[in-house]
Amino acid sequence: MSIGHTLLGLLESGPRHGYDLKRTFDTHFGQDRPLHYGQVYSTMSRLLKNGLVEVEGIEPGGGPERKRYAITDAGVTDVEGWLATPEKPEPYLQSLLYTKVVLALLTGRDADTLLDTQRSEHLRLMRELTRRKSGGDLADQLVCDHALFHLEADLRWLELAAARLDRLASEIRA
């Protein structure tokens, strides 16, 4: 996720302080990985330096002064370009899981157990996401569905790898 573009997008609805940006980000995108305040302020500093935001005002607070950031026209253009650019599909052609299976086979370890253990972990996480999805709002349901679909594809691969394990072992040991 591009933190900078996300914060810029949040500023399109109006100027905000760093604290407000963090709170809004965490509400919509940070349930599993909330932003740290330092990350918000370092990102805002970079956006300011690049001319994508400006400081609209500085207000005294209970602690340090609070800067109120506003998006510039260049920032709006940057967000528009980012949103219009499709993300590169990640085909995972050389996954860590595949590497572990091959290394297990090469070193004489039990690749079947490795696959079974991984399958159990995927199923555990799928149950957790399904519970979370049932109690979540629409945004959380969509996030969980995305993760569940990826885990489902991984499970299909685990089954396929298990079915082809003997053949793979003979090919890599040849």
Side-chain angles (χ1 to χ4, degrees):
M1 174 187 296
S2 171
I3 303 299
H5 286 111
T6 305
L7 294 177
L8 282 173
L10 293 175
L11 283 172
E12 283 201 59
S13 64
R16 298 174 186 226
H17 298 98
Y19 174 81
D20 296 330
L21 286 167
K22 180 203 175 342
R23 190 181 69 232
T24 304
F25 180 97
D26 288 351
T27 297
H28 293 291
F29 312 109
Q31 292 169 330
D32 296 320
R33 195 178 292 175
L35 274 181
H36 296 286
Y37 283 106
Q39 191 173 12
V40 172
Y41 293 111
S42 65
T43 301
M44 295 311 295
S45 177
R46 189 181 81 258
L47 295 172
L48 186 63
K49 179 181 165 195
N50 293 335
L52 302 175
V53 298
E54 60 191 8
V55 175
E56 185 180 80
I58 298 176
E59 303 167 8
E65 292 180 329
R66 295 174 41 158
K67 292 180 183 174
R68 190 171 181 83
Y69 297 97
I71 192 168
T72 63
D73 290 341
V76 171
T77 301
D78 197 57
V79 171
E80 285 174 352
W82 179 67
L83 290 173
T85 304
E87 292 297 313
K88 180 182 177 199
E90 295 293 332
Y92 306 110
L93 290 178
Q94 190 71 308
S95 76
L96 186 57
L97 221 43
Y98 171 78
T99 301
K100 285 185 168 188
V101 169
V102 170
L103 283 176
L105 293 171
L106 287 172
T107 59
R109 291 183 172 87
D110 186 358
D112 276 315
T113 299
L114 184 150
L115 290 170
D116 286 342
T117 301
Q118 191 63 53
R119 186 180 305 108
S120 294
E121 183 59 18
H122 271 62
L123 291 170
R124 182 201 63 75
L125 183 54
M126 289 176 83
R127 285 189 298 274
E128 184 180 309
L129 288 168
T130 301
R131 275 193 300 276
R132 176 177 160 183
K133 179 181 155 180
S134 69
D137 60 10
L138 180 58
D140 204 33
Q141 290 172 12
L142 286 169
V143 168
C144 289
D145 281 337
H146 187 262
L148 284 164
F149 292 148
H150 281 274
L151 290 167
E152 200 175 293
D154 284 351
L155 277 177
R156 288 194 315 263
W157 182 86
L158 290 166
E159 295 299 326
L160 183 66
R164 295 178 176 172
L165 207 50
D166 291 337
R167 188 170 141 209
L168 179 62
S170 63
E171 284 184 16
I172 66 170
R173 291 180 185 146

Coordinates of all heavy atoms in Angstrom, one line a residue, residues 77-162:
T77 N -3.5 15.7 -8.7 CA -3.0 15.1 -10.0 C -2.3 13.8 -9.7 O -2.5 12.8 -10.4 CB -2.1 16.1 -10.8 OG1 -2.9 17.3 -11.0 CG2 -1.7 15.5 -12.1
D78 N -1.4 13.8 -8.7 CA -0.7 12.6 -8.3 C -1.6 11.5 -7.9 O -1.4 10.3 -8.3 CB 0.3 12.9 -7.2 CG 1.4 11.9 -7.1 OD1 2.1 11.6 -8.1 OD2 1.6 11.4 -6.0
V79 N -2.6 11.8 -7.1 CA -3.5 10.8 -6.6 C -4.3 10.2 -7.8 O -4.6 9.0 -7.9 CB -4.5 11.3 -5.5 CG1 -5.6 10.3 -5.2 CG2 -3.7 11.6 -4.2
E80 N -4.8 11.1 -8.7 CA -5.5 10.7 -9.9 C -4.7 9.7 -10.7 O -5.2 8.7 -11.1 CB -6.0 11.9 -10.7 CG -7.1 12.7 -10.1 CD -7.4 14.0 -10.9 OE1 -6.6 14.3 -11.8 OE2 -8.4 14.6 -10.6
G81 N -3.5 10.0 -10.9 CA -2.6 9.1 -11.7 C -2.4 7.8 -11.0 O -2.4 6.7 -11.6
W82 N -2.2 7.8 -9.7 CA -2.0 6.6 -8.9 C -3.3 5.7 -9.0 O -3.2 4.5 -9.2 CB -1.7 6.9 -7.5 CG -1.5 5.7 -6.6 CD1 -0.5 4.8 -6.7 CD2 -2.3 5.4 -5.5 NE1 -0.6 3.9 -5.7 CE2 -1.7 4.2 -4.9 CE3 -3.4 5.9 -4.9 CZ2 -2.3 3.6 -3.8 CZ3 -4.0 5.3 -3.8 CH2 -3.4 4.2 -3.2
L83 N -4.4 6.3 -8.8 CA -5.7 5.6 -8.8 C -6.0 5.0 -10.2 O -6.6 3.9 -10.4 CB -6.9 6.4 -8.4 CG -6.9 6.8 -6.9 CD1 -8.0 7.8 -6.6 CD2 -7.1 5.6 -6.0
A84 N -5.6 5.7 -11.3 CA -5.8 5.2 -12.6 C -4.8 4.2 -13.1 O -5.1 3.5 -14.1 CB -5.8 6.4 -13.6
T85 N -3.7 4.0 -12.4 CA -2.7 3.0 -12.8 C -3.0 1.7 -12.1 O -3.1 1.5 -10.9 CB -1.3 3.5 -12.3 OG1 -1.1 4.8 -12.9 CG2 -0.2 2.5 -12.8
P86 N -3.3 0.6 -13.0 CA -3.6 -0.7 -12.4 C -2.4 -1.2 -11.6 O -1.2 -1.0 -12.0 CB -3.9 -1.5 -13.6 CG -3.4 -0.8 -14.8 CD -3.2 0.6 -14.4
E87 N -2.6 -2.0 -10.6 CA -1.6 -2.7 -9.8 C -1.1 -3.9 -10.6 O -1.9 -4.5 -11.3 CB -2.1 -3.1 -8.5 CG -2.4 -2.0 -7.5 CD -1.2 -1.2 -7.2 OE1 -0.2 -1.7 -6.8 OE2 -1.4 0.1 -7.2
K88 N 0.2 -4.1 -10.6 CA 0.8 -5.3 -11.3 C 0.3 -6.5 -10.6 O 0.5 -6.7 -9.4 CB 2.3 -5.2 -11.3 CG 3.0 -6.3 -12.0 CD 4.5 -6.2 -11.9 CE 5.0 -7.4 -12.5 NZ 6.4 -7.7 -12.1
P89 N -0.3 -7.5 -11.3 CA -0.7 -8.7 -10.6 C 0.6 -9.5 -10.2 O 1.6 -9.5 -10.9 CB -1.4 -9.5 -11.8 CG -1.8 -8.4 -12.7 CD -0.8 -7.4 -12.7
E90 N 0.5 -10.0 -9.0 CA 1.7 -10.7 -8.5 C 1.5 -12.2 -8.7 O 0.7 -12.9 -8.0 CB 1.8 -10.5 -7.0 CG 2.1 -9.0 -6.7 CD 3.5 -8.6 -7.1 OE1 4.4 -9.5 -7.2 OE2 3.7 -7.4 -7.4
P91 N 2.2 -12.8 -9.7 CA 1.9 -14.2 -10.0 C 2.6 -15.2 -9.0 O 2.4 -16.4 -9.1 CB 2.5 -14.4 -11.4 CG 3.6 -13.3 -11.5 CD 3.1 -12.2 -10.6
Y92 N 3.5 -14.7 -8.1 CA 4.2 -15.6 -7.2 C 4.8 -16.8 -7.9 O 4.7 -17.9 -7.5 CB 3.2 -16.1 -6.1 CG 2.4 -15.1 -5.4 CD1 1.1 -14.9 -5.6 CD2 3.1 -14.2 -4.5 CE1 0.4 -13.9 -4.9 CE2 2.4 -13.2 -3.8 CZ 1.1 -13.1 -4.1 OH 0.4 -12.1 -3.4
L93 N 5.6 -16.5 -8.9 CA 6.2 -17.6 -9.7 C 7.3 -18.3 -8.9 O 7.6 -19.5 -9.2 CB 6.8 -17.1 -11.0 CG 5.8 -16.6 -12.0 CD1 6.4 -16.1 -13.2 CD2 4.8 -17.8 -12.4
Q94 N 7.8 -17.7 -7.9 CA 8.8 -18.4 -7.1 C 8.5 -18.2 -5.6 O 9.2 -17.4 -5.0 CB 10.2 -17.9 -7.5 CG 11.4 -18.7 -6.9 CD 11.5 -20.1 -7.5 OE1 10.6 -20.9 -7.5 NE2 12.7 -20.5 -7.9
S95 N 7.5 -18.8 -5.1 CA 7.1 -18.5 -3.7 C 8.0 -19.2 -2.7 O 8.7 -20.2 -3.0 CB 5.6 -19.0 -3.6 OG 5.6 -20.4 -3.4
L96 N 7.9 -18.6 -1.5 CA 8.7 -19.2 -0.4 C 8.2 -20.6 -0.1 O 9.0 -21.5 0.3 CB 8.5 -18.3 0.8 CG 9.3 -18.6 2.0 CD1 10.8 -18.6 1.7 CD2 9.0 -17.5 3.1
L97 N 6.9 -20.9 -0.3 CA 6.4 -22.2 0.0 C 7.0 -23.2 -0.9 O 7.4 -24.3 -0.5 CB 4.9 -22.1 -0.2 CG 4.0 -22.9 0.7 CD1 4.3 -22.7 2.1 CD2 2.5 -22.5 0.5
Y98 N 7.1 -22.9 -2.2 CA 7.7 -23.8 -3.2 C 9.2 -24.0 -2.8 O 9.7 -25.2 -2.8 CB 7.6 -23.2 -4.6 CG 8.5 -23.9 -5.6 CD1 8.0 -25.2 -6.1 CD2 9.7 -23.5 -6.0 CE1 8.8 -25.9 -7.0 CE2 10.5 -24.2 -6.9 CZ 10.0 -25.4 -7.4 OH 10.8 -26.1 -8.3
T99 N 9.9 -23.0 -2.4 CA 11.3 -23.1 -2.0 C 11.4 -24.0 -0.8 O 12.3 -24.9 -0.8 CB 11.9 -21.7 -1.6 OG1 11.7 -20.8 -2.8 CG2 13.3 -21.8 -1.2
K100 N 10.6 -23.9 0.1 CA 10.6 -24.8 1.3 C 10.4 -26.3 0.9 O 11.1 -27.2 1.4 CB 9.6 -24.4 2.4 CG 10.0 -23.2 3.1 CD 9.0 -22.9 4.2 CE 9.5 -21.9 5.2 NZ 8.7 -21.8 6.4
V101 N 9.4 -26.5 0.0 CA 9.2 -27.9 -0.4 C 10.4 -28.5 -1.1 O 10.8 -29.6 -0.8 CB 7.9 -27.9 -1.4 CG1 7.8 -29.3 -2.1 CG2 6.7 -27.6 -0.6
V102 N 11.0 -27.7 -2.0 CA 12.2 -28.2 -2.8 C 13.3 -28.5 -1.8 O 14.0 -29.5 -1.9 CB 12.5 -27.3 -3.9 CG1 13.9 -27.6 -4.5 CG2 11.5 -27.3 -5.0
L103 N 13.5 -27.5 -0.9 CA 14.6 -27.7 0.1 C 14.4 -28.9 1.0 O 15.3 -29.6 1.3 CB 14.9 -26.5 0.9 CG 15.6 -25.3 0.2 CD1 15.7 -24.1 1.1 CD2 17.0 -25.7 -0.2
A104 N 13.2 -29.1 1.4 CA 12.9 -30.3 2.2 C 13.2 -31.6 1.4 O 13.8 -32.5 2.0 CB 11.4 -30.3 2.6
L105 N 12.8 -31.6 0.1 CA 13.1 -32.8 -0.7 C 14.6 -32.9 -0.9 O 15.2 -34.1 -0.8 CB 12.4 -32.7 -2.0 CG 10.9 -32.8 -2.0 CD1 10.3 -32.5 -3.3 CD2 10.5 -34.2 -1.5
L106 N 15.3 -31.8 -1.1 CA 16.8 -31.9 -1.4 C 17.6 -32.3 -0.1 O 18.6 -33.0 -0.3 CB 17.3 -30.6 -1.9 CG 17.0 -30.2 -3.3 CD1 17.4 -28.7 -3.6 CD2 17.6 -31.1 -4.3
T107 N 17.0 -32.0 1.0 CA 17.8 -32.3 2.3 C 17.2 -33.6 3.0 O 17.6 -33.9 4.1 CB 17.7 -31.1 3.2 OG1 16.3 -30.9 3.5 CG2 18.3 -29.9 2.7
G108 N 16.3 -34.3 2.3 CA 15.8 -35.5 2.9 C 14.8 -35.4 4.0 O 14.5 -36.3 4.7
R109 N 14.3 -34.2 4.1 CA 13.2 -34.0 5.1 C 11.9 -34.3 4.6 O 11.7 -34.5 3.4 CB 13.3 -32.5 5.6 CG 14.5 -32.1 6.4 CD 14.4 -30.7 6.8 NE 15.5 -30.4 7.8 CZ 16.7 -30.0 7.4 NH1 17.0 -29.8 6.1 NH2 17.6 -29.7 8.3
D110 N 10.9 -34.4 5.5 CA 9.6 -34.8 5.1 C 8.7 -33.7 4.5 O 8.2 -32.9 5.2 CB 8.9 -35.4 6.3 CG 7.5 -36.0 6.0 OD1 7.1 -36.0 4.9 OD2 6.9 -36.6 7.0
A111 N 8.7 -33.6 3.2 CA 7.9 -32.5 2.5 C 6.4 -32.7 2.7 O 5.7 -31.7 2.8 CB 8.2 -32.5 1.0
D112 N 5.9 -33.9 2.9 CA 4.5 -34.2 3.2 C 4.1 -33.5 4.5 O 3.0 -32.8 4.5 CB 4.2 -35.7 3.3 CG 4.0 -36.3 1.9 OD1 3.2 -35.7 1.1 OD2 4.5 -37.4 1.7
T113 N 4.9 -33.6 5.5 CA 4.6 -33.0 6.8 C 4.6 -31.5 6.6 O 3.8 -30.8 7.2 CB 5.6 -33.4 7.9 OG1 5.5 -34.9 8.0 CG2 5.4 -32.8 9.2
L114 N 5.6 -31.0 5.9 CA 5.7 -29.5 5.7 C 4.4 -29.0 5.0 O 3.8 -28.0 5.5 CB 6.9 -29.2 4.8 CG 7.2 -27.8 4.5 CD1 8.7 -27.6 4.2 CD2 6.4 -27.3 3.3
L115 N 3.9 -29.7 4.0 CA 2.7 -29.3 3.3 C 1.5 -29.5 4.2 O 0.6 -28.6 4.2 CB 2.5 -30.2 2.0 CG 3.5 -29.9 0.9 CD1 3.3 -31.0 -0.2 CD2 3.3 -28.5 0.3
D116 N 1.4 -30.5 5.0 CA 0.3 -30.7 6.0 C 0.3 -29.6 7.0 O -0.8 -29.0 7.4 CB 0.4 -32.0 6.7 CG 0.0 -33.2 5.8 OD1 -0.6 -33.0 4.7 OD2 0.4 -34.4 6.1
T117 N 1.4 -29.2 7.5 CA 1.5 -28.2 8.5 C 1.1 -26.9 7.9 O 0.4 -26.1 8.6 CB 3.0 -28.1 9.1 OG1 3.3 -29.3 9.6 CG2 3.1 -27.0 10.1
Q118 N 1.5 -26.6 6.7 CA 1.1 -25.3 6.1 C -0.4 -25.3 5.8 O -1.0 -24.3 6.0 CB 1.9 -25.2 4.8 CG 1.8 -23.8 4.2 CD 2.3 -22.7 5.1 OE1 3.4 -22.8 5.5 NE2 1.5 -21.7 5.4
R119 N -0.9 -26.4 5.4 CA -2.4 -26.5 5.1 C -3.1 -26.2 6.4 O -4.1 -25.5 6.4 CB -2.7 -27.9 4.6 CG -4.2 -28.1 4.2 CD -4.5 -29.5 3.7 NE -3.6 -29.9 2.6 CZ -2.6 -30.9 2.7 NH1 -2.4 -31.5 3.8 NH2 -1.9 -31.2 1.6
S120 N -2.7 -26.8 7.5 CA -3.3 -26.5 8.8 C -3.3 -25.0 9.1 O -4.3 -24.5 9.6 CB -2.7 -27.3 9.9 OG -2.9 -28.7 9.7
E121 N -2.2 -24.4 8.9 CA -2.0 -23.0 9.2 C -3.0 -22.1 8.3 O -3.6 -21.2 8.8 CB -0.6 -22.5 9.1 CG -0.4 -21.1 9.4 CD -0.7 -20.7 10.9 OE1 -0.9 -21.6 11.7 OE2 -0.9 -19.5 11.1
H122 N -3.0 -22.5 7.0 CA -3.9 -21.8 6.1 C -5.4 -22.0 6.6 O -6.2 -21.0 6.6 CB -3.8 -22.3 4.7 CG -2.7 -21.6 3.9 ND1 -1.4 -21.6 4.3 CD2 -2.8 -20.9 2.8 CE1 -0.7 -20.9 3.4 NE2 -1.6 -20.5 2.5
L123 N -5.8 -23.2 6.9 CA -7.2 -23.4 7.4 C -7.5 -22.7 8.7 O -8.6 -22.1 8.8 CB -7.4 -24.9 7.5 CG -7.4 -25.7 6.2 CD1 -7.5 -27.2 6.5 CD2 -8.6 -25.3 5.4
R124 N -6.5 -22.6 9.6 CA -6.7 -21.9 10.8 C -7.0 -20.4 10.5 O -7.9 -19.8 11.0 CB -5.5 -22.0 11.7 CG -5.6 -21.3 13.1 CD -4.3 -21.0 13.8 NE -3.5 -20.1 13.0 CZ -3.6 -18.8 12.9 NH1 -4.7 -18.2 13.5 NH2 -2.8 -18.0 12.2
L125 N -6.1 -19.8 9.7 CA -6.3 -18.4 9.3 C -7.6 -18.2 8.6 O -8.3 -17.2 8.8 CB -5.1 -17.9 8.5 CG -5.1 -16.4 8.1 CD1 -5.3 -15.5 9.3 CD2 -3.9 -16.1 7.3
M126 N -8.0 -19.1 7.7 CA -9.3 -19.0 7.0 C -10.5 -19.0 8.0 O -11.4 -18.2 7.8 CB -9.4 -20.1 6.0 CG -8.5 -19.9 4.8 SD -8.6 -21.3 3.6 CE -10.0 -20.7 2.7
R127 N -10.4 -19.8 9.0 CA -11.5 -19.8 10.0 C -11.5 -18.5 10.8 O -12.6 -17.9 11.0 CB -11.3 -21.0 11.0 CG -11.6 -22.3 10.5 CD -11.6 -23.4 11.5 NE -10.3 -23.6 12.1 CZ -9.4 -24.4 11.6 NH1 -9.6 -25.1 10.5 NH2 -8.2 -24.5 12.2
E128 N -10.4 -18.0 11.1 CA -10.3 -16.7 11.8 C -10.8 -15.5 10.9 O -11.6 -14.7 11.4 CB -8.8 -16.4 12.2 CG -8.6 -15.1 12.9 CD -7.1 -15.0 13.2 OE1 -6.4 -15.9 13.7 OE2 -6.6 -13.8 12.9
L129 N -10.5 -15.5 9.7 CA -11.0 -14.5 8.8 C -12.5 -14.6 8.5 O -13.2 -13.6 8.4 CB -10.2 -14.5 7.4 CG -8.8 -14.0 7.5 CD1 -8.1 -14.4 6.2 CD2 -8.7 -12.5 7.7
T130 N -13.0 -15.8 8.5 CA -14.4 -16.1 8.3 C -15.2 -15.6 9.5 O -16.2 -14.9 9.4 CB -14.7 -17.6 8.1 OG1 -14.0 -18.0 6.9 CG2 -16.2 -17.8 7.9
R131 N -14.7 -15.8 10.7 CA -15.3 -15.2 11.9 C -15.3 -13.7 11.9 O -16.3 -13.1 12.2 CB -14.6 -15.8 13.2 CG -15.1 -17.1 13.7 CD -14.6 -17.4 15.1 NE -13.1 -17.4 15.2 CZ -12.3 -18.5 14.9 NH1 -12.9 -19.6 14.4 NH2 -11.0 -18.4 15.0
R132 N -14.1 -13.2 11.5 CA -14.0 -11.7 11.5 C -15.0 -11.1 10.5 O -15.6 -10.1 10.7 CB -12.6 -11.3 11.1 CG -12.3 -9.9 11.0 CD -10.9 -9.6 10.7 NE -10.7 -8.3 10.1 CZ -9.5 -7.8 9.7 NH1 -8.4 -8.5 9.9 NH2 -9.5 -6.6 9.1
K133 N -15.1 -11.8 9.3 CA -15.9 -11.3 8.2 C -17.4 -11.3 8.7 O -18.1 -10.4 8.4 CB -15.7 -12.2 7.0 CG -16.6 -11.9 5.9 CD -16.3 -12.9 4.8 CE -17.5 -13.0 3.8 NZ -17.3 -14.0 2.8
S134 N -17.8 -12.3 9.4 CA -19.2 -12.4 9.8 C -19.6 -11.3 10.8 O -20.8 -10.9 10.8 CB -19.5 -13.8 10.5 OG -18.9 -13.9 11.7
G135 N -18.7 -10.7 11.5 CA -19.0 -9.6 12.4 C -18.6 -8.3 11.9 O -18.8 -7.3 12.6
G136 N -18.0 -8.2 10.7 CA -17.5 -7.0 10.2 C -18.5 -6.2 9.4 O -19.5 -6.7 8.9
D137 N -18.1 -4.9 9.1 CA -18.9 -4.1 8.2 C -18.5 -4.5 6.8 O -17.7 -5.4 6.6 CB -18.7 -2.6 8.5 CG -17.2 -2.2 8.4 OD1 -16.4 -3.0 7.9 OD2 -16.9 -1.0 8.7
L138 N -19.1 -3.8 5.8 CA -18.9 -4.2 4.4 C -17.4 -4.1 4.0 O -16.9 -4.9 3.3 CB -19.7 -3.3 3.5 CG -19.6 -3.6 2.0 CD1 -19.9 -5.1 1.7 CD2 -20.5 -2.7 1.2
A139 N -16.7 -3.0 4.5 CA -15.3 -2.8 4.2 C -14.5 -4.0 4.7 O -13.6 -4.5 4.0 CB -14.8 -1.5 4.7
D140 N -14.7 -4.3 5.9 CA -14.0 -5.4 6.6 C -14.3 -6.8 5.8 O -13.4 -7.6 5.6 CB -14.3 -5.5 8.0 CG -13.2 -6.2 8.8 OD1 -12.0 -6.1 8.5 OD2 -13.5 -6.9 9.8
Q141 N -15.6 -7.0 5.4 CA -15.9 -8.2 4.7 C -15.2 -8.3 3.4 O -14.7 -9.3 3.0 CB -17.4 -8.2 4.4 CG -18.3 -8.4 5.7 CD -19.7 -8.2 5.5 OE1 -20.2 -8.1 4.3 NE2 -20.5 -8.1 6.5
L142 N -15.0 -7.1 2.7 CA -14.3 -7.1 1.4 C -12.8 -7.4 1.6 O -12.2 -8.2 0.9 CB -14.5 -5.8 0.7 CG -15.8 -5.6 0.0 CD1 -16.0 -4.2 -0.4 CD2 -16.0 -6.6 -1.1
V143 N -12.2 -6.9 2.7 CA -10.8 -7.1 3.0 C -10.6 -8.6 3.3 O -9.7 -9.3 2.8 CB -10.3 -6.2 4.2 CG1 -9.0 -6.7 4.7 CG2 -10.3 -4.8 3.7
C144 N -11.5 -9.2 4.1 CA -11.4 -10.6 4.5 C -11.6 -11.5 3.2 O -11.0 -12.5 3.1 CB -12.5 -10.9 5.6 SG -12.0 -10.2 7.2
D145 N -12.6 -11.1 2.4 CA -12.8 -11.9 1.2 C -11.6 -12.0 0.3 O -11.2 -13.0 -0.2 CB -14.0 -11.4 0.4 CG -15.3 -11.8 0.9 OD1 -15.4 -12.8 1.6 OD2 -16.3 -11.1 0.6
H146 N -10.9 -10.8 0.2 CA -9.7 -10.8 -0.6 C -8.6 -11.7 -0.1 O -8.0 -12.5 -0.8 CB -9.1 -9.3 -0.7 CG -8.0 -9.1 -1.6 ND1 -6.7 -9.1 -1.1 CD2 -7.9 -8.9 -2.9 CE1 -5.9 -8.9 -2.1 NE2 -6.6 -8.8 -3.2
A147 N -8.4 -11.7 1.2 CA -7.5 -12.6 1.9 C -7.9 -14.0 1.7 O -7.1 -14.9 1.5 CB -7.3 -12.2 3.3
L148 N -9.2 -14.3 1.9 CA -9.7 -15.7 1.8 C -9.5 -16.3 0.4 O -9.1 -17.4 0.3 CB -11.2 -15.7 2.2 CG -11.4 -15.6 3.7 CD1 -12.9 -15.3 4.0 CD2 -11.0 -16.9 4.4
F149 N -9.7 -15.5 -0.6 CA -9.5 -16.0 -1.9 C -8.1 -16.3 -2.2 O -7.8 -17.3 -2.9 CB -10.0 -15.0 -3.0 CG -11.5 -14.8 -3.0 CD1 -12.1 -13.5 -3.3 CD2 -12.4 -15.8 -2.6 CE1 -13.5 -13.4 -3.3 CE2 -13.8 -15.6 -2.6 CZ -14.3 -14.4 -2.9
H150 N -7.2 -15.5 -1.7 CA -5.7 -15.8 -1.9 C -5.4 -17.1 -1.1 O -4.6 -17.9 -1.6 CB -4.9 -14.6 -1.4 CG -4.8 -13.6 -2.4 ND1 -3.9 -13.5 -3.4 CD2 -5.5 -12.4 -2.6 CE1 -4.1 -12.5 -4.2 NE2 -5.1 -11.8 -3.7
L151 N -5.9 -17.2 0.1 CA -5.6 -18.4 0.9 C -6.2 -19.7 0.2 O -5.6 -20.8 0.2 CB -6.2 -18.3 2.3 CG -5.4 -17.3 3.2 CD1 -6.2 -17.0 4.5 CD2 -4.0 -17.8 3.5
E152 N -7.4 -19.5 -0.4 CA -8.0 -20.6 -1.1 C -7.1 -21.1 -2.3 O -7.0 -22.3 -2.5 CB -9.4 -20.2 -1.6 CG -10.3 -21.3 -1.9 CD -11.7 -20.6 -2.3 OE1 -12.3 -20.1 -1.3 OE2 -12.1 -20.7 -3.4
A153 N -6.6 -20.1 -3.0 CA -5.7 -20.5 -4.1 C -4.4 -21.2 -3.6 O -4.0 -22.2 -4.2 CB -5.3 -19.2 -4.9
D154 N -3.9 -20.7 -2.5 CA -2.7 -21.4 -1.9 C -3.1 -22.8 -1.5 O -2.3 -23.7 -1.7 CB -2.3 -20.6 -0.6 CG -1.5 -19.4 -0.9 OD1 -1.2 -19.1 -2.1 OD2 -1.2 -18.6 0.1
L155 N -4.3 -23.0 -0.9 CA -4.7 -24.4 -0.5 C -4.8 -25.3 -1.8 O -4.4 -26.5 -1.7 CB -6.0 -24.4 0.2 CG -6.0 -24.0 1.6 CD1 -7.4 -24.0 2.2 CD2 -5.2 -25.1 2.4
R156 N -5.3 -24.8 -2.8 CA -5.3 -25.6 -4.1 C -3.9 -26.0 -4.5 O -3.7 -27.1 -4.9 CB -6.1 -24.8 -5.2 CG -7.6 -24.7 -5.0 CD -8.3 -24.3 -6.2 NE -7.8 -23.2 -6.9 CZ -8.1 -21.9 -6.8 NH1 -9.1 -21.6 -6.0 NH2 -7.6 -21.0 -7.5
W157 N -3.0 -25.0 -4.4 CA -1.6 -25.3 -4.8 C -1.0 -26.4 -3.8 O -0.3 -27.3 -4.3 CB -0.7 -24.0 -4.7 CG 0.7 -24.3 -5.2 CD1 1.1 -24.4 -6.4 CD2 1.8 -24.7 -4.3 NE1 2.5 -24.7 -6.4 CE2 2.9 -24.9 -5.1 CE3 1.9 -24.8 -2.9 CZ2 4.1 -25.3 -4.6 CZ3 3.1 -25.2 -2.4 CH2 4.2 -25.4 -3.3
L158 N -1.3 -26.2 -2.5 CA -0.8 -27.2 -1.6 C -1.2 -28.6 -1.9 O -0.5 -29.6 -1.8 CB -1.2 -26.9 -0.1 CG -0.5 -25.6 0.5 CD1 -1.3 -25.2 1.7 CD2 0.9 -25.9 0.8
E159 N -2.5 -28.8 -2.3 CA -3.1 -30.1 -2.7 C -2.4 -30.6 -3.9 O -2.0 -31.8 -4.0 CB -4.6 -30.0 -2.9 CG -5.4 -29.7 -1.6 CD -5.2 -30.7 -0.5 OE1 -5.1 -31.9 -0.9 OE2 -5.2 -30.3 0.6
L160 N -2.2 -29.7 -4.9 CA -1.5 -30.1 -6.2 C -0.1 -30.5 -5.9 O 0.4 -31.5 -6.4 CB -1.6 -28.9 -7.1 CG -1.0 -29.2 -8.5 CD1 -1.8 -30.2 -9.3 CD2 -1.0 -27.9 -9.3
A161 N 0.6 -29.8 -5.1 CA 2.0 -30.1 -4.8 C 2.1 -31.4 -4.0 O 3.0 -32.2 -4.3 CB 2.6 -29.0 -3.9
A162 N 1.2 -31.7 -3.1 CA 1.2 -33.0 -2.4 C 0.9 -34.1 -3.4 O 1.6 -35.2 -3.3 CB 0.1 -33.0 -1.3

